[in-house]
Amino acid sequence: MKIQSDDFRVHPGKEFRLGDRPTVIKPFCKSKKQYRKTLESHVEELSSLQQLHYASHRYALLLIFQGIDAAGKDGAIRHVMSGVNPEGCEVYSFKQPSAEELEHDFLWRTTCRLPERGRIGIFNRSYYEEVLVVRVHPEILRNEGLAEELRDEKTVWNERYRSIENFETHLHLNGTHVVKIFLHLSEEEQRKRFLERIDDPDKNWKFSLADIHERKYWKQYAAAFEECLNATTTQASPWFVVPADDKENARLIVSRIVMDALKELKMSYPKTTEKRKAELKAIRKLLVK
């Protein structure tokens, strides 16, 4: 069964309902062995594409991962990007803003971590937290130091959507291709994964009481994600909603999305000039003596 990235894209101009998108779909592979073989082939192809991307040095690729707690962001990044040369890829995980970061606009701390040309940047959570968790917990907004007229909850979210869209348009026009992946997890599957983290000593470190607290706001988060994805998906910087209840399926879909994103870029290895060819020929003669 061939994976089509477009099946998971959120298209601009078309009303998107999160409830219409499944959290689990039919497995692409019939066995664990087939899954490992398929993922391995994806990783190998991605490695080749990343090498071409690095050598071409014309564009940057920014991958943004968002999702509810336990959606599998860390695992997807770790498995899908396992074959990528570390020199050409950087991963940043954004937690609660620091005091210094709160002294700046909400895009500042992520702007400082944008990938250079030829590189892949990965944001595990991002500036989108400012229209997701902050929207669910507006008391955070009131503690961000903004002037009162700048944090009017009747207007601030649409203004932030506009800031994000303008920012991503600016990045696109300057060679940074932005791809945004939402790992769509069901409430029941999250419950199972939390129990696994409690029951498995090796996963205890992943669990926090705050995770249980946030489950109380499931519907609010779903509404915030739905509005955010509707407001900020564009042709140039699209959102993809990946069914995340099946981790293996999700990783295969994510890897396909990333490969297709790289293939959309006009990349080529640098051409060797005649002068350079002559230099290499002369050096070769010295080496074969």
Side-chain angles (χ1 to χ4, degrees):
M1 185 176 179
K2 189 174 181 181
I3 303 172
Q4 301 285 352
S5 296
D6 200 59
D7 291 343
F8 307 97
R9 184 188 292 260
V10 179
H11 294 277
K14 295 183 179 180
E15 186 178 6
F16 164 74
R17 293 184 182 278
L18 191 59
D20 293 340
R21 295 292 182 101
T23 60
V24 62
I25 58 175
K26 184 179 178 179
F28 292 108
C29 299
K30 296 180 180 179
S31 65
K32 287 276 188 181
K33 182 178 180 180
Q34 185 184 9
Y35 158 72
R36 286 192 291 268
K37 186 176 180 180
T38 303
L39 182 61
E40 183 179 344
S41 68
H42 283 196
V43 169
E44 288 178 359
E45 184 176 355
L46 184 55
S47 178
S48 297
L49 288 168
Q50 184 262 335
Q51 184 177 358
L52 174 58
H53 175 57
Y54 187 81
S56 181
H57 200 70
R58 294 177 184 172
Y59 302 95
L61 178 63
L62 175 61
L63 305 175
I64 294 176
F65 286 83
Q66 293 286 161
I68 205 76
D69 294 328
K73 298 182 291 298
D74 292 335
I77 294 169
R78 184 172 64 254
H79 284 79
V80 171
M81 308 304 291
S82 61
V84 171
N85 187 333
E87 288 186 338
C89 181
E90 295 172 307
V91 181
Y92 295 99
S93 182
F94 294 97
K95 306 295 184 181
Q96 185 176 346
S98 67
E100 180 188 15
E101 290 166 345
L102 288 174
E103 291 297 323
H104 298 269
D105 68 272
F106 77 94
L107 292 171
W108 180 80
R109 68 171 180 158
T110 48
T111 301
C112 297
R113 298 291 182 259
L114 290 171
E116 302 169 8
R117 281 189 294 275
R119 294 179 178 270
I120 299 173
I122 300 175
F123 286 177
N124 185 342
R125 302 188 186 275
S126 65
Y127 44 83
Y128 278 99
E129 294 294 288
E130 291 292 330
V131 291
L132 295 170
V133 65
V134 178
R135 182 155 193 179
V136 173
H137 299 288
E139 66 274 12
I140 297 175
L141 183 67
R142 294 192 286 272
N143 293 326
E144 288 188 346
L146 291 170
E148 186 174 352
E149 65 271 17
L150 299 178
R151 52 181 170 82
D152 183 347
E153 292 181 38
K154 295 179 181 179
T155 59
V156 67
W157 310 120
N158 284 331
E159 289 170 353
R160 287 192 170 188
Y161 293 148
R162 185 174 60 181
S163 293
I164 289 171
E165 185 175 350
N166 289 340
F167 175 64
E168 291 176 349
T169 297
H170 166 76
L171 292 179
H172 181 76
L173 293 175
N174 286 275
T176 297
H177 190 56
V178 184
V179 174
K180 301 167 292 192
I181 296 170
F182 171 63
L183 294 174
H184 189 22
L185 189 73
S186 69
E187 190 172 8
E188 174 59 17
E189 180 61 23
Q190 187 197 55
R191 184 185 70 85
K192 292 178 181 178
R193 293 183 186 182
F194 280 170
L195 287 172
E196 184 180 357
R197 291 180 178 184
I198 293 171
D199 295 338
D200 186 345
D202 291 338
K203 294 184 178 181
N204 287 170
W205 65 273
K206 290 186 175 183
F207 185 75
S208 167
L209 289 177
D211 297 334
I212 292 297
H213 174 73
E214 290 304 296
R215 270 178 67 83
K216 300 175 183 178
Y217 301 94
W218 187 274
K219 291 183 179 179
Q220 292 92 323
Y221 273 110
F225 273 115
E226 180 174 285
E227 184 170 330
C228 172
L229 269 60
N230 268 305
T232 59
T233 194
T234 63
Q235 195 64 36
S237 303
W239 273 105
F240 293 87
V241 177
V242 175
D245 282 8
D246 182 333
K247 292 180 180 180
E248 294 179 353
N249 245 22
R251 291 164 187 169
L252 293 177
I253 296 168
V254 169
S255 59
R256 172 53 59 192
I257 291 170
V258 177
M259 286 189 292
D260 288 348
L262 283 168
K263 289 177 180 179
E264 288 177 5
L265 304 178
K266 296 179 180 179
M267 302 185 296
S268 62
Y269 284 103
K271 292 184 178 179
T272 304
T273 64
E274 291 302 318
K275 181 179 179 181
R276 180 60 174 162
K277 287 179 181 178
E279 289 177 349
L280 293 174
K281 189 175 181 180
I283 294 171
R284 190 180 191 283
K285 288 181 178 180
L286 293 174
L287 290 172
V288 297
K289 285 183 178 179

